[in-house]
Amino acid sequence: MTDIALGFDLGGTKTEAVALAPDGQVLCRIRQPTPVQDGAEAILRGIAQLRDRVASVVRSQGFDPAGATIGLGTPGSLSPWTQRLRNSNTLCLNGLLLAQELACALGQPLAIENDANCFALAEALQGAGRGHGVVFGVIIGTGCGGGLVLGGHLHTGQNRLAGEWGHTQIDPAGPACWCGQRGCLEVFVSGGGIQQAFLAQTGLHWSAQEILDPSQTHHEAERLRSVFFASLGRGLANLYGVVDPDVVVLGGGLSNLPGLCELLEQEVSERIFGREWRPSIALNTLGDSAGVIGAAWLGRQQRQ
């Protein structure tokens, strides 16, 4: 039996694969477009073909990929009741028995988790959360997600809702969220929510990065920037009040904003219960490799 671990990160535009050696070293990393326009069967075939490409590279490096574990990260999650995929932005996969279908395509079982959970697991084991017992990984990008890692293992909860902090409600009278609630954290801190709010007020199509740029002096951009930091600080203060993680690791496109950790520590300090805490917010160290590396670890842990 091999100790090679294969991980896949299934995105709406690209699918990425990685192979990890027993010590966690990345042996290879390959990306290819996700054929969303061709439907679910084409996506499953593409993953199987990508697995074969990775196996070939690993073999050429002197490793035996036979029996390698496999993990997959994907937007959305498997329902604990039906095992069907739900809430994926790759719409053709929603309702699919994804684990079963992929196991048939690959010829072996695999582990599947939400991509934010995979990010959190990777950063806990090999990134900014390494050495900490309780790690919460935060994704702030197009949406807002998270994952909770306890003692080096994901905690997803009986309903697979652990880590879904983006849909905690911080303003019941706030804007509508796609989930059906109003005033979810995601509405105020995600790239999509910020862009929609700016467009509604100005008629301008700016990216979230442009709106949140600290050098931007447009009055609506300044207002939304203030809302972004205050909302994120409120969400994190609520998180610390419930979980009190050893470290919060920030990821996603908006985590690259200059001085983000310091600004959030200030926002949390103004809102946290008791006003006393040890700042423990860190940027990710694995970059956009985190999700696919976490998927590989997920598959390895499932076998163990």
Side-chain angles (χ1 to χ4, degrees), residues 257-277:
L257 291 171
L260 180 61
C261 289
E262 294 78 10
L263 287 166
L264 287 181
E265 287 172 0
Q266 179 180 338
E267 293 286 349
V268 173
S269 295
E270 295 174 0
R271 295 171 172 82
I272 201 162
F273 178 67
R275 299 294 189 271
E276 293 182 343
W277 73 305

Side-chain angles (χ1 to χ4, degrees), residues 223-294:
R223 186 188 73 82
L224 289 173
R225 191 159 58 244
S226 176
V227 169
F228 170 82
F229 285 112
S231 299
L232 204 47
R234 183 173 292 110
L236 286 172
N238 291 341
L239 174 68
Y240 275 97
V242 176
V243 179
D244 197 9
D246 297 330
V247 63
V248 169
V249 182
L250 305 178
L254 297 184
S255 69
N256 297 318
L257 291 171
L260 180 61
C261 289
E262 294 78 10
L263 287 166
L264 287 181
E265 287 172 0
Q266 179 180 338
E267 293 286 349
V268 173
S269 295
E270 295 174 0
R271 295 171 172 82
I272 201 162
F273 178 67
R275 299 294 189 271
E276 293 182 343
W277 73 305
R278 179 181 64 83
S280 54
I281 302 173
L283 291 178
N284 69 86
T285 60
L286 297 175
D288 63 0
S289 296
V292 73
I293 289 174

